[in-house]
Amino acid sequence: MLIAIILTFLIHVFLGLPLFLALLSSAVVGFFFIDPAMIPRMMPQQFYGGINAFSLMAIPLFILAGNLMNAAGMTDQLMRLARLLVGHLRGGIGHVNVLSSVFFAGVNGSAVADTSALGPLLVPAMRKEGYDKAFAAGLTAASSLVGPIIPPSIFMILYASLTNVSVGSLFLAGVIPGFVIAAAFMAMNGWYAWRHQLPRNGRAPTLKELSAAVVQAVPALVAPVIIVLGIVMGLVTPTESGGLIALYVVICGVLQRRLRLRDVWASLTETVRLTSAIFLIMAASATISWQLSYAQVPAQLTTLFTPFLDSPLLILLLLSLIIFTVGMFMEEVSALMLLTPILVPVALAAGIDPVQLGVIVTLNITIALITPPMGACLHVAAAVSKLEITALFRSIWPFVLVALGVLGLLIVFPPLTLWLPGLFA
């Protein structure tokens, strides 16, 4: 049944069918393996049930907060701060690219939004500084991977809704890995700049200049702190946190006279558009997840992995290989919704901490955003840099290997993900 569902999905995607329709048609195929008579009753029930969760309301609220921050100019202030901090180093504009992604991660939690916002600005700037176009586009796409890892994270909210793991613990667990990923890509950029002897530009900022930039960026820098601390300390739920941060951004934008009514309307419109697409995919994926659970596919997979359950490290490597392979050919939200209910029981049977697993699954799914042929960030980066997508397909693999290296560190050293949540346990 699983093979038939996957083949149906891939065929319909390559034929150009919208993703949620490709998933629904795959669900229809799945019901023919279970009981076709269940289609009229179970498909609507599972389709609606897949998005009928209070915690999922946080997703549109965090997306709205990110859109409002962009409209209010807060992201411009973050980029200016990044330029002052690292722009004077060799390869400084590349470092600005990565550091801006770190700042943006605390704003919207979306890698694709990060690539879309930073690419048109930073890829041309990197070209002027002597960077190869393919490397500039690749670094822009790759650095955006920190978006779903550093809180807030849409992928982590989805994972939590499927596994009943604390969103606050997942957010905390993503902080250190997010900075490790950023450090890895900054090291890669530094090596590239040294190898090609790129020039240093400008001078180190004065304390006065840096202080002024930090003061201007404080409203944006405080936002992720409010989100994480509010959830971890039990003051607000993730959904309430999303509403609170959206209101906070509106107040800051109005007080700074940067946010107008038409900007709020445009942000709301974009949020509705993006949220609708995500929720349609989630609902269709939930139908297939129910089918796999009904057919006891997770239990069968656990039995298949029984010989390896004594080695959590090997289990994580095997599960990562499965997620990485599926992610290359399937849209990321769909892959997360379909694979999580199947793979989590295997990991729990091996004694793997569900919080560590959540970060590893999230990073795995996120890496799929820069792997050919379906990687959404690749297509966005190629479009904004006016680069042939096939050229970016060839040049992206060093960045993928660096990201996989960080994934390996998280698997081998669990404290990288579990230490910070442990402090608040």
Side-chain angles (χ1 to χ4, degrees):
M1 182 182 78
L2 180 59
I3 295 175
I5 289 174
I6 293 175
L7 286 177
T8 303
F9 173 78
L10 292 177
I11 290 171
H12 285 165
V13 167
F14 285 123
L15 288 176
L17 203 66
L19 282 173
F20 84 95
L21 289 179
L23 287 164
L24 281 180
S25 61
S26 303
V28 171
V29 171
F31 274 116
F32 277 99
F33 283 87
I34 300 174
D35 181 2
M38 300 174 69
I39 295 177
R41 176 171 55 90
M42 294 306 300
M43 274 200 71
Q45 180 179 327
Q46 296 304 319
F47 186 86
Y48 175 73
I51 55 176
N52 186 26
F54 179 75
S55 60
L56 295 180
M57 290 177 61
I59 294 176
L61 291 171
F62 282 128
I63 293 174
L64 175 61
N67 289 333
L68 288 170
M69 279 190 168
N70 290 333
M74 291 184 177
T75 50
D76 295 334
Q77 296 165 352
L78 291 175
M79 190 174 294
R80 179 172 180 269
L81 177 60
R83 285 183 180 275
L84 285 175
L85 288 172
V86 296
H88 60 282
L89 303 175
R90 185 183 298 278
I93 191 63
H95 293 314
V96 169
N97 195 327
V98 179
L99 189 57
S100 295
S101 293
V102 173
F103 288 152
F104 272 55
V107 172
N108 53 41
S110 169
V112 176
D114 187 341
T115 306
S116 302
L118 295 179
L121 299 173
L122 292 178
V123 171
M126 292 178 71
R127 290 286 292 138
K128 289 181 181 179
E129 298 297 333
Y131 279 86
D132 176 75
K133 183 185 289 189
F135 185 91
L139 184 65
T140 301
S143 65
S144 68
L145 298 187
V146 302
I149 306 301
I150 294 178
S153 167
I154 294 173
F155 287 165
M156 287 183 180
I157 294 173
L158 290 176
Y159 175 88
S161 71
L162 294 169
T163 59
N164 293 319
V165 175
S166 165
V167 174
S169 295
L170 286 171
F171 279 5
L172 286 173
V175 173
I176 294 176
F179 284 114
V180 172
I181 296 170
F185 284 127
M186 290 186 81
M188 185 178 183
N189 174 70
W191 173 82
Y192 180 94
W194 171 80
R195 181 185 176 190
H196 293 85
Q197 288 300 295
L198 297 181
R200 298 174 184 270
N201 291 307
R203 53 173 177 78
T206 64
L207 183 60
K208 182 178 180 180
E209 291 172 334
L210 192 57
S211 300
V214 170
V215 170
Q216 286 185 339
V218 161
L221 294 173
V222 166
V225 178
I226 295 175
I227 294 170
V228 175
L229 288 184
I231 296 173
V232 171
M233 296 177 66
L235 300 177
V236 291
T237 66
T239 301
E240 292 167 345
S241 176
L244 177 64
I245 206 65
L247 178 61
Y248 165 81
V249 174
V250 169
I251 293 173
C252 289
V254 170
L255 291 178
Q256 294 177 342
R257 297 183 179 180
R258 287 174 166 264
L259 194 64
R260 294 164 295 182
L261 185 60
R262 66 181 181 183
D263 296 324
V264 175
W265 177 253
S267 299
L268 286 169
T269 303
E270 177 63 17
T271 299
V272 170
R273 186 193 64 80
L274 183 56
T275 301
S276 299
I278 292 174
F279 273 54
L280 280 173
I281 293 170
M282 287 167 49
S285 301
T287 305
I288 298 178
S289 296
W290 177 85
Q291 292 175 342
L292 298 177
S293 178
Y294 184 87
Q296 297 186 337
V297 171
Q300 296 170 12
L301 192 63
T302 302
T303 302
L304 183 65
F305 279 89
T306 298
F308 311 108
L309 292 181
D310 291 336
S311 176
L313 179 62
L314 182 57
I315 288 292
L316 283 175
L317 290 173
L318 291 173
L319 297 185
S320 295
L321 178 61
I322 293 172
I323 298 170
F324 179 79
T325 304
V326 172
M328 291 178 67
F329 302 99
M330 185 175 287
E331 190 275 335
E332 290 69 33
V333 173
S334 306
L336 180 64
M337 295 291 292
L338 292 176
L339 291 177
T340 299
I342 299 174
L343 301 182
V344 166
V346 177
L348 296 181
I352 297 168
D353 190 290
V355 173
Q356 182 196 11
L357 179 66
V359 176
I360 290 172
V361 168
T362 300
L363 180 54
N364 249 305
I365 292 294
T366 304
I367 292 174
L369 290 167
I370 63 167
T371 54
M374 293 286 289
C377 288
L378 286 184
H379 292 274
V380 173
V384 300
S385 59
K386 299 179 181 178
L387 180 70
E388 287 290 334
I389 188 63
T390 52
L392 191 52
F393 281 175
R394 291 192 298 269
S395 62
I396 196 62
W397 291 107
F399 298 96
V400 174
L401 290 176
V402 169
L404 290 175
V406 174
L407 177 66
L409 284 177
L410 301 185
I411 292 174
V412 175
F413 300 106
L416 288 174
T417 54
L418 298 178
W419 176 74
L420 197 56
L423 291 180
F424 291 85

